[in-house]
Amino acid sequence: LDNNEQARVTQIGFRSTRLLTINNVELVIPNSLLANARVTNLSGSDNLMRIEVPISIAYGTELSLARKVILSAIEDVSEVLDNPAPALHFSAMGASSLDFTLRVWINNPEIRFPVLDKLNTNIYTALIEADIEIPYTKQDVYLHTVNET
């Protein structure tokens, strides 16, 4: 909705619409308000939803190895659909990392958070096992002495 609240429509009535949030809170919204609100349908009419997972690896990592490890890591996440197929894109050369975006599709928007948890867990574990560094922001501080005369 306009306020970024996410919910599933459970009933559409003559005067109001009932929505159920991901926290199991039921909202009753007058149709007059809903008609003037910006509503985003996350799943469209076919109930499919795309999940995007940002992934960063260290400079110097062999890209083909990283692609293989990441795509293999998500194979056992049963909720990820084969069609449309998962896609892994090298999206940017960041300040301290090579950045990828993994795009996968699921058939139920209500399971996006548990699926995202599985994807991140599997990818993190696979990258560690493959000895691929996951970069983090680092800063070097140099202290210089000043000669006082």
Side-chain angles (χ1 to χ4, degrees):
L1 299 172
D2 283 338
N3 62 357
N4 286 330
E5 180 119 42
Q6 296 180 5
R8 178 172 42 90
V9 174
T10 58
Q11 181 183 2
I12 300 174
F14 182 69
R15 302 182 127 215
S16 64
T17 298
R18 292 181 183 270
L19 306 166
L20 190 64
T21 70
I22 60 174
N23 294 323
N24 204 34
V25 174
E26 185 176 55
L27 305 174
V28 179
I29 301 176
N31 288 340
S32 60
L33 291 178
L34 205 54
N36 292 319
R38 181 172 185 254
V39 178
T40 302
N41 187 345
L42 294 177
S43 63
S45 60
D46 58 7
N47 219 28
L48 295 180
M49 179 183 192
R50 185 174 77 185
I51 298 176
E52 292 190 355
V53 183
I55 303 163
S56 297
I57 60 172
Y59 275 95
T61 303
E62 185 182 327
L63 295 179
S64 60
L65 172 64
R67 287 180 190 276
K68 180 180 174 186
V69 168
I70 293 167
L71 290 173
S72 294
I74 66 167
E75 286 178 351
D76 69 336
V77 180
S78 61
E79 297 88 350
V80 171
L81 300 177
D82 293 329
N83 187 18
L88 182 63
H89 302 281
F90 182 15
S91 52
M93 290 182 276
S96 60
S97 62
L98 302 173
D99 300 328
F100 288 82
T101 303
L102 173 68
R103 292 181 175 94
V104 300
W105 291 86
I106 59 174
N107 64 7
N108 181 354
E110 294 181 29
I111 63 170
R112 68 186 174 278
F113 295 119
V115 172
L116 185 58
D117 176 70
K118 288 181 187 178
L119 292 169
N120 280 322
T121 300
N122 287 8
I123 292 166
Y124 176 79
T125 302
L127 290 174
I128 296 300
E129 288 174 358
D131 211 20
I132 295 175
E133 182 183 350
I134 301 168
Y136 54 91
T137 304
K138 302 173 190 171
Q139 294 181 339
D140 294 328
V141 177
Y142 298 95
L143 301 175
H144 298 279
T145 58
V146 176
N147 291 335
E148 295 182 29
T149 53

Coordinates of all heavy atoms in Angstrom, one line a residue, residues 18 20-21 36 54 57 78 94 106 121:
R18 N -10.8 -6.5 3.2 CA -10.1 -7.1 4.3 C -8.7 -7.6 3.8 O -8.6 -8.3 2.8 CB -10.8 -8.2 5.0 CG -12.1 -7.8 5.7 CD -12.8 -8.9 6.4 NE -14.0 -8.5 7.0 CZ -14.1 -8.1 8.2 NH1 -13.0 -8.0 9.0 NH2 -15.3 -7.7 8.7
L20 N -4.8 -9.2 5.2 CA -4.1 -9.9 6.2 C -2.6 -9.6 6.0 O -2.0 -10.0 5.0 CB -4.4 -11.4 6.2 CG -3.9 -12.2 7.4 CD1 -4.6 -11.7 8.7 CD2 -4.1 -13.7 7.2
T21 N -2.0 -9.0 7.0 CA -0.6 -8.7 7.0 C 0.3 -9.9 7.2 O -0.2 -10.9 7.7 CB -0.2 -7.5 7.9 OG1 -0.2 -8.1 9.3 CG2 -1.1 -6.3 7.8
N36 N -8.3 5.3 -3.9 CA -7.4 6.4 -4.1 C -6.0 6.1 -3.7 O -5.2 7.0 -3.7 CB -8.0 7.6 -3.3 CG -9.3 8.1 -3.9 OD1 -9.4 8.2 -5.1 ND2 -10.3 8.4 -3.1
P54 N 21.3 -9.8 -3.5 CA 22.6 -9.2 -3.8 C 23.7 -10.0 -3.2 O 23.6 -10.5 -2.0 CB 22.5 -7.8 -3.1 CG 21.5 -7.9 -2.0 CD 20.6 -9.0 -2.5
I57 N 31.5 -10.6 -3.8 CA 32.7 -11.4 -3.6 C 33.9 -10.5 -3.8 O 33.8 -9.4 -4.3 CB 32.7 -12.6 -4.6 CG1 32.7 -12.1 -6.0 CG2 31.6 -13.6 -4.3 CD1 33.0 -13.2 -7.0
S78 N 13.9 -26.0 -2.7 CA 12.8 -26.5 -3.4 C 11.8 -25.5 -3.8 O 11.1 -25.7 -4.8 CB 12.1 -27.7 -2.7 OG 11.6 -27.2 -1.5
G94 N 32.2 -2.9 -7.5 CA 32.1 -2.0 -6.4 C 33.4 -1.5 -5.9 O 34.5 -1.8 -6.3
I106 N 9.5 -17.6 -7.2 CA 8.8 -18.5 -6.3 C 7.3 -18.4 -6.7 O 6.9 -17.4 -7.3 CB 9.0 -18.2 -4.8 CG1 8.6 -16.7 -4.5 CG2 10.5 -18.4 -4.4 CD1 8.7 -16.4 -3.0
T121 N 21.6 -18.4 3.4 CA 22.3 -19.3 4.2 C 23.1 -20.3 3.3 O 24.3 -20.5 3.5 CB 21.4 -20.2 5.1 OG1 20.7 -19.2 6.0 CG2 22.1 -21.2 5.9

